[in-house]
Amino acid sequence: MGTDIHAFIENRSSFDSGWRTQSEVFLERDYRVFSALAGVRAAEDDATVFDPRGFPEDASGLTQLAYYVHIVSDQEFVANGLSRFVRASEVAAIIANGGHYRHKSKKLVSHPEARRPSWLTISEIQNALSTIGIRNETLGVNWQLTLRSMQAIETEFQSKVRLVFWFEN
């Protein structure tokens, strides 16, 4: 079974009070990149440039919606719907396995399969790629488009931009 990355481009201009989701991006598996960005699937000779920072407390609403699940009591009936959930009896195992509650909330917990959440700016991602000797043009097309989009948001719109991500097996 492979490891996948879940990622969202977020931006914030100087007059915005919070981060906004620009887009969810579907990035190719590239274990060299995963290793450099967060130490995920690192082989013995792979470099980890950035250790995971954790899920940002100020993440945009859409990013939080994708990352967190609702906690419901073990007895509560839940009809099929759009909301993802876990039973209260499952929360201790999620926490023991590296999960966490949402900032200032005991009603939401990180998705049971989410691992090593983090975020990086475009310059940090470029630094990580340069450190491990990867040029942008050698990346998969989705990685290239994501990096170009982040660069354009930062340069053309003079906004702060970051990639919020986590991994699932």
Side-chain angles (χ1 to χ4, degrees):
M1 179 162 55
T3 299
D4 293 313
I5 187 170
H6 293 264
F8 291 79
I9 298 173
E10 294 186 339
N11 69 301
R12 182 176 70 193
S13 66
S14 59
F15 49 83
D16 283 336
S17 61
W19 290 92
R20 296 175 187 218
T21 299
Q22 181 62 37
S23 66
E24 180 176 10
V25 290
F26 300 95
L27 302 168
E28 298 93 350
R29 284 183 185 164
D30 190 329
Y31 295 144
R32 300 167 306 150
V33 176
F34 293 1
S35 175
L37 299 185
V40 171
R41 299 286 298 235
E44 191 173 304
D45 59 341
D46 287 343
T48 299
V49 181
F50 290 97
D51 289 321
R53 296 176 169 162
F55 191 79
E57 292 177 2
D58 61 350
S60 69
L62 187 60
T63 305
Q64 289 187 45
L65 187 62
Y67 182 73
Y68 290 110
V69 295
H70 293 273
I71 301 169
V72 297
S73 72
D74 292 338
Q75 299 77 27
E76 185 176 341
F77 172 77
V78 180
N80 289 337
L82 297 177
S83 180
R84 297 178 311 170
F85 69 93
V86 295
R87 299 285 178 193
S89 60
E90 300 172 54
V91 173
I94 293 169
I95 301 295
N97 203 21
H100 59 94
Y101 290 105
R102 181 176 175 226
H103 178 66
K104 297 183 181 180
S105 173
K106 297 286 186 179
K107 295 179 181 183
L108 297 170
V109 68
S110 55
H111 191 283
E113 301 300 319
R115 302 286 179 269
R116 302 180 73 82
S118 193
W119 60 271
L120 294 171
T121 65
I122 182 65
S123 61
E124 290 170 328
I125 294 169
Q126 295 290 7
N127 176 44
L129 295 175
S130 175
T131 299
I132 63 171
I134 295 178
R135 295 186 336 268
N136 285 3
E137 59 270 13
T138 65
L139 293 168
V141 68
N142 291 346
W143 277 103
Q144 290 183 48
L145 291 171
T146 295
L147 296 176
R148 287 178 187 171
S149 295
M150 291 176 71
Q151 188 68 55
I153 292 167
E154 186 175 84
T155 305
E156 295 176 29
F157 299 102
Q158 299 177 348
S159 290
K160 294 180 181 180
V161 64
R162 67 184 180 186
L163 188 69
V164 178
F165 56 92
W166 60 93
F167 300 88
E168 290 186 12
N169 292 331

